[in-house]
Every structure is written in C-alpha cells, then in structure tokens.
Amino acid sequence: MRIVLLGAPGAGKGTQCKRIVAKYGVVHLSSGDILRQERAAGTELGKKAQSYMDSGGLVPDNLIVEMMVGAINKASQKGFVLDGFPRTVNQAAELDKLLGRNGKKIDAVLNLEINEQVVVKRMSGRRSCSKCGAVYHIENLKPKTDGICDHDGTKLVQRPDDNPDVVTNRLKTYHQQTRPVVDYYKNNNAVCNINANEDADKVSTLMFKKLDALVLA
Ligand code: AP5
C-alpha cells in the first residue's frame, strides 16, 4: 500500500504515521525526519536545508525530490506512508512521474484537517526524543516520566522550529504552497478528509476505517 498523509504543521502526521506503520507494516518516510538526520550528521544537504527549516520556509524542490526519490526507491515492497512529502504541486507531480515509470501509483491520500488554534497548542507542547524520534506532548500524549523518553530514557527536547515566530511562518508557507497539493490530489485520486482535531486514538480509528476499506477492496 502506498499512502500520502497530508496536513498542516502539527496536525499529527508523524504521530499517526507511526500507528499506520504498526498496523499495516509499511515504511514511514518523513521528509522532515530525514532532513533533521542530515542536519545532525552535518551533510551537505543538511547544511543547505538549515536556513530554510529554521525560518519556516520550504527547502528547494530539487533537493527534496532527489532525497525522497532515493528513500522511496529503498523502501520495501510492502509499501510506504509519506509524511511531509509532497509539499508542493511540483513535488507531487514528480512523485507521480517516479511511480508511473514503475507502473505504480498512490493508493490513498489522507488529509488531516485541523483548526489553527489547535495546531499552535500542539506545537508549543510538543517534545521529541533526539535519539529515537519519538514524539510526545506535555498535556495530550505525556511520557511516563516528565521530560524523559519512554523508549530509551533520553531527555526530551523542543524542536527549534516550534518557536511561535517560526510556527507563524510555517503555517503561512503551508497555506501558500502546500494546501494546493490537496487540490492536486482531488483531481487525480480520491482524497479522504480526516477530522484531526479529535484525540489521537479517535483520529487513528477514522484513518484505519478508510485504510481497511482499501486493503479489503
Ligand atoms: P516537518 O518535520 O515535516 O514538519 P511539519 O510538516 O511542519 O510537521 P510537524 O512534524 O511539525 O507536525 P506533525 O503533523 O508531524 O505533528 P506531530 O505528530 O508531531 O518539516 C520541518 C521542515 O522541514 C519544514 O518546515 C521545511 O522547512 C522542511 N521540509 C520538510 N519536508 C519538506 C518538503 N517536502 N519540501 C520542502 N521542505 C520540507 O504532532 C504535533 C504535536 O501534537 C505532538 O506533540 C503530538 O504529541 C501532539 N498530537 C498529535 N496528534 C494529536 C491529537 N490527535 N491530539 C492531541 N495531541 C496530538
């Protein structure tokens, strides 16, 4: 199964992708996570991406497409769930071209719909593990011990781009450049809108219902 998960920054894409992976055994490909790993490793790509990420803008399409084509080609035959990619109409068209060359296509596009006030609250309370990437929230999805990752005991950190000024820019970028991707897919595939304002378990239930229908089809 090849899935695209769309949604504004902080809509819960990463949180829900981990649950999709656990249920359907697909590979999670997060462009944001890959970029953060490149930055941490000090690669050329990581250095080039840094200023765009820190300001809440988008990393140029050519860099992202090359990076994601590599990741998709490496993904197992079991399929994948894309998180944070495609983020422009151009990226979506490049993805279609890549899959088309191999006689494949995207099977499901899930669009997490969320109110902006909820997004701001989620991002200000997000804490992540710099070692394993697990994501928590200080109120909604708490770790067992405050500030410590459940999986490996690492101290949780706040993402630098979750500061309020950068969040404002990320939302602006989303409306200008990423929201049109929803319309792109509406014209090419069936887009399933999911109410992402609900708690994480309820969102998963809504999503799984749509995906189960596809698996059984
Ligand atoms: P990226 O890492 O992709 O960031 P994003 O899209 O802004 O998404 P987030 O990771 O902030 O949020 P999320 O939707 O995954 O929410 P989460 O599950 O963590 O990209 C970062 C940057 O990299 C971009 O700004 C850009 O510069 C660059 N980039 C990446 N991809 C690119 C591309 N394709 N092209 C160009 N540039 C690119 O949840 C958020 C919080 O809410 C957490 O604390 C979580 O615990 C909590 N939560 C989640 N769900 C719920 C729920 N239902 N109820 C209550 N709390 C919840």
Side-chain angles (χ1 to χ4, degrees):
M1 193 157 43
R2 289 172 289 274
I3 307 162
V4 169
L5 199 59
L6 299 174
K13 300 182 295 296
T15 302
Q16 296 301 332
C17 277
K18 291 187 176 77
R19 296 170 180 215
I20 291 175
V21 168
K23 185 165 159 73
Y24 300 97
V26 292
V27 179
H28 179 193
L29 298 176
S30 157
S31 48
D33 285 352
I34 300 173
L35 287 170
R36 281 183 285 278
Q37 284 158 15
E38 296 280 342
R39 282 182 65 165
T43 65
E44 267 315 299
L45 171 60
K47 284 179 198 156
K48 284 182 188 160
Q50 188 159 339
S51 61
Y52 300 101
M53 295 174 79
D54 289 347
S55 64
L58 292 186
V59 177
D61 280 349
N62 59 327
L63 297 178
I64 291 291
V65 169
E66 193 184 333
M67 175 184 96
M68 291 308 288
V69 166
I72 289 167
N73 283 337
K74 267 195 235 151
S76 79
Q77 291 302 313
K78 281 182 174 176
F80 52 74
V81 54
L82 295 174
D83 165 4
F85 176 84
R87 226 179 178 98
T88 63
V89 169
N90 183 38
Q91 291 178 17
E94 289 296 328
L95 173 62
D96 276 349
K97 272 194 231 163
L98 169 74
L99 295 176
R101 279 199 289 275
N102 300 311
K104 293 177 179 161
K105 63 175 182 52
I106 293 297
D107 302 305
V109 180
L110 303 177
N111 179 36
L112 299 184
E113 293 193 301
I114 189 158
N115 298 334
E116 225 148 87
Q117 311 89 286
V118 181
V119 158
V120 171
K121 211 167 163 218
R122 284 194 190 167
M123 285 200 276
S124 62
R126 170 166 49 193
R127 299 292 181 272
S128 336
C129 175
S130 53
K131 196 169 172 193
C132 74
V135 176
Y136 304 87
H137 191 277
I138 53 171
E139 287 170 10
N140 307 328
L141 292 161
K142 293 180 180 180
K144 288 180 190 131
T145 308
D146 268 359
I148 302 292
C149 179
D150 291 349
H151 306 293
D152 51 34
T154 304
K155 198 164 175 269
L156 300 178
V157 292
Q158 198 164 9
R159 258 171 56 175
D161 59 348
D162 277 347
N163 91 55
D165 288 345
V166 183
V167 166
T168 305
N169 272 343
R170 286 164 67 195
L171 287 169
K172 207 163 132 197
T173 303
Y174 169 76
H175 287 295
Q176 286 172 347
Q177 297 186 63
T178 306
R179 182 68 214 177
V181 175
V182 179
D183 298 323
Y184 173 90
Y185 280 118
K186 272 189 190 151
N187 296 330
N188 293 282
N189 296 289
V191 175
C192 301
N193 289 322
I194 305 283
N195 179 3
N197 297 296
E198 302 285 358
D199 70 48
D201 289 345
K202 205 156 181 192
V203 176
S204 303
T205 305
L206 294 169
M207 240 177 28
F208 292 161
K209 218 169 153 183
K210 300 281 184 195
L211 292 175
D212 282 347
L214 275 171
V215 171
L216 296 172

